[in-house]
Amino acid sequence: MSKAMLISVGGSISPIICSLNKHKPKFIIFFASKESEYQVSEIVKKISFSYQATEKIVTPSAEIMEESYFVLWQRLPSILERWKIRPSQIIVDYTGGTKSMSVAIVLATLDFCKKYSYIGGKERTKEGLGVVVDGKEKMLYVKNPWDKYAVSVRKKISLFFNECHYDSALREVEILKEKVSKQEESFYSMWYDLIKGYALWDKFRHTEAKRELYKGFRKLQIYAYNKRRYKKLLDCIDKNLKFLERIVDKKEIEMLIRDLIANAKRRAEIEKKFDDAVARLYRALEKIAENELFKIGINHSNVKDSQIPQNIRDKFIGKYKDEQDGKIKLPLYAKYELLKELGNQKGKDFFSQEKEIKKILDARNSSILAHGDISIKEERYKELLSLVLNFGKLQEKDLSVFPYLEM
């Protein structure tokens, strides 16, 4: 038994009665014209099952598709809400009424309906060109159109993903999961897990990203068995997961630095958000210093007096000691200065390139995302990217690369 049915009315009532008796909905919405509205009472008298409630939606014009569409769009949601029926619980039958009404009822429900029906038959009047002969009706089910129409939406999802709009891609997949048939849901559930993993990763939520990406990867491995077109994608995700494991499980700061740089490249080279990219590169430069300090047992946000060489100790305590908690917390320049005074090569390298570094970092500090109101240009981003890669002794091939998606 169906929860609800939206059925168009017009012409012969026998196919409509046949459809209703077949589906036996608890709730019925008749979509009629002014000319066919009178048929509703006749139909109700002849149906052979008990129902809970009925409603009528009457189009102002049976010949103008836009008017039929608009009245459905206007009335249908409030009726379903009053009856507490989810749109996906409706069967739509477009057998009756004018061609304009049939087009309107399909268009108005296409975004949410999973099941359509149509009454055909082997015998028709007018030598096969007229209406179905009474008693010769045949129920025809139309497959969920979203199972096919989803191809265009999948292209849209891939586009969102490849342009770094991961949350937008995720929303589209989530909506699509609700629209497709039951047998198609697992396919979109797989893509949902994969895209969610990358969306979380892009926000540096590495632990959650690894969990979601693994879920999607395992589903894809099963789905893509013996499907050559997915090999490149599987290889990329596998490589990405190994990268994530080194961040999450092994706590390798070097990999986090690489991830910051990779994230900056996505912001700049795909989204053209150079201020966002430079903010991440600046953080990567800081992280390089923090990693060097960590290796020699110094916490950059809680440096002990005894860990600071005598010649700069008083200066550091005076400038960087937090008055509230008494901890010495170092900004970027101070981190590298401490490294230099401790004889660390990274500290020495920083100050040997100080003039070049300062010019780029001043541009960052003038950024609207830092302390100024100037938008960073692409050239400055490229300069800082090159500096950070060279300074970290990295190449672009060392960075994580998200896959190019083709659903």
Side-chain angles (χ1 to χ4, degrees):
M1 183 180 287
S2 306
K3 183 80 172 176
M5 192 165 185
L6 171 63
I7 190 164
S8 53
V9 177
S12 171
I13 65 172
S14 295
I16 298 166
I17 295 166
C18 174
S19 183
L20 287 168
N21 285 337
K22 175 72 174 176
H23 293 297
K24 297 180 173 54
K26 291 182 180 178
F27 299 89
I28 308 168
I29 304 167
F30 294 101
F31 178 48
S33 63
K34 292 174 182 176
E35 295 76 21
S36 65
E37 186 180 3
Y38 77 92
Q39 293 179 315
V40 171
S41 57
E42 293 181 48
I43 295 166
V44 169
K45 288 176 187 175
K46 294 182 179 180
I47 56 179
S48 60
F49 61 93
S50 299
Y51 56 87
Q52 197 167 323
T54 65
E55 264 284 1
K56 274 190 301 188
I57 297 176
V58 179
T59 177
S61 171
E63 302 302 329
I64 300 175
M65 186 273 290
E66 292 90 342
E67 291 197 18
S68 291
Y69 174 87
F70 182 75
V71 73
L72 283 163
W73 177 82
Q74 195 176 42
R75 293 277 321 280
L76 189 57
S78 60
I79 295 171
L80 297 180
E81 186 177 357
R82 171 158 41 91
W83 286 344
K84 294 182 171 53
I85 292 172
R86 296 193 305 275
S88 60
Q89 294 177 306
I90 298 178
I91 291 176
V92 176
D93 189 304
Y94 55 91
T95 304
T98 63
K99 290 181 175 65
S100 294
M101 288 171 65
S102 294
V103 172
I105 201 171
V106 172
L107 286 178
T109 56
L110 187 60
D111 271 351
F112 55 78
C113 184
K114 293 187 178 185
K115 194 171 184 182
Y116 291 86
S117 72
Y118 174 79
I119 299 295
K122 293 180 179 178
E123 293 185 35
R124 288 179 177 268
T125 61
K126 299 180 183 177
E127 298 182 350
L129 298 176
V131 298
V132 175
V133 174
D134 288 355
K136 301 294 182 179
E137 297 88 0
K138 181 181 179 182
M139 176 70 64
L140 301 173
Y141 288 101
V142 180
K143 288 183 179 179
N144 186 342
W146 278 100
D147 293 351
K148 296 295 182 186
Y149 180 67
V151 171
S152 63
V153 184
R154 280 156 58 175
K155 289 180 181 177
K156 183 179 177 183
I157 292 165
S158 298
L159 181 65
F160 276 141
F161 184 91
N162 296 330
E163 292 183 347
C164 298
H165 304 315
Y166 306 112
D167 288 336
S168 296
L170 203 57
R171 278 195 297 273
E172 291 294 328
V173 177
E174 195 165 24
I175 291 168
L176 208 47
K177 275 173 61 184
E178 293 298 315
K179 292 179 177 179
V180 296
S181 302
K182 195 75 177 172
Q183 60 267 28
E184 293 289 315
E185 285 180 15
S186 60
F187 176 78
Y188 292 102
S189 175
M190 173 185 75
W191 291 112
Y192 182 85
D193 292 340
L194 289 169
I195 294 170
K196 186 176 181 181
Y198 283 108
L200 290 164
W201 188 347
D202 198 55
K203 297 181 180 79
F204 303 107
R205 291 164 62 179
H206 298 112
T207 302
E208 297 164 83
K210 179 190 159 193
R211 182 179 64 244
E212 296 301 322
L213 205 51
Y214 258 122
K215 275 167 55 180
F217 182 61
R218 285 193 290 267
K219 291 175 184 177
L220 182 60
Q221 284 178 311
I222 297 167
Y223 174 78
Y225 182 72
N226 278 344
K227 294 184 176 77
R228 290 175 62 84
R229 66 172 294 234
Y230 290 103
K231 185 180 185 308
K232 189 175 178 181
L233 177 61
L234 284 165
D235 290 345
C236 184
I237 298 171
D238 185 49
K239 190 175 179 181
N240 288 161
L241 283 166
K242 287 181 171 67
F243 191 99
L244 268 180
E245 284 171 1
R246 293 179 67 180
I247 293 176
V248 176
D249 302 329
K250 299 180 181 178
K251 312 293 182 189
E252 294 183 30
I253 299 175
E254 290 89 348
M255 303 307 288
L256 191 54
I257 292 165
R258 295 182 192 187
D259 194 47
L260 278 161
I261 301 169
N263 194 295
K265 280 173 63 63
R266 290 196 295 275
R267 300 288 81 75
E269 297 170 20
I270 299 177
E271 295 189 285
K272 306 302 178 186
K273 295 179 178 178
F274 301 113
D275 292 87
D276 289 290
V278 165
R280 285 155 173 76
L281 291 173
Y282 184 92
R283 181 68 186 121
L285 200 56
E286 273 194 316
K287 207 73 184 165
I288 291 170
E290 291 168 13
N291 192 33
E292 292 298 312
L293 290 169
F294 175 77
K295 288 175 184 177
I296 55 176
I298 298 176
N299 181 344
H300 67 94
S301 60
N302 187 16
V303 183
K304 308 304 178 190
D305 296 6
S306 60
Q307 294 173 320
I308 305 169
Q310 189 67 47
N311 62 316
I312 59 169
R313 187 176 297 166
D314 290 342
K315 181 179 78 169
F316 270 48
I317 291 171
K319 287 182 72 174
Y320 307 122
K321 195 165 192 174
D322 191 303
E323 292 181 1
Q324 292 186 330
D325 60 19
K327 294 178 180 178
I328 296 173
K329 302 173 183 179
L330 305 181
L332 184 141
Y333 261 85
K335 289 167 187 169
Y336 281 105
E337 186 178 359
L338 177 56
L339 285 169
K340 180 184 70 118
E341 293 300 326
L342 291 168
N344 180 277
Q345 190 59 47
K346 278 284 190 283
K348 293 175 185 178
D349 292 345
F350 184 90
F351 284 97
S352 70
Q353 304 173 57
E354 183 177 10
K355 188 175 180 181
E356 181 189 359
I357 291 172
K358 190 174 188 308
K359 181 173 67 173
I360 297 171
L361 295 186
D362 283 348
R364 175 265 174 187
N365 290 330
S366 300
S367 164
I368 197 163
L369 295 183
H371 312 298
D373 53 11
I374 299 171
S375 180
I376 288 176
K377 299 290 188 289
E378 185 174 4
E379 312 84 72
R380 277 285 184 254
Y381 152 74
K382 287 181 176 178
E383 289 174 353
L384 186 51
L385 174 65
S386 178
L387 184 147
V388 172
L389 286 171
N390 290 334
F391 200 73
K393 292 185 168 51
L394 295 168
Q395 298 179 48
E396 293 197 27
K397 67 179 180 63
D398 298 320
L399 309 177
S400 58
V401 178
F402 284 11
Y404 184 83
L405 199 62
E406 291 180 293
M407 281 182 68

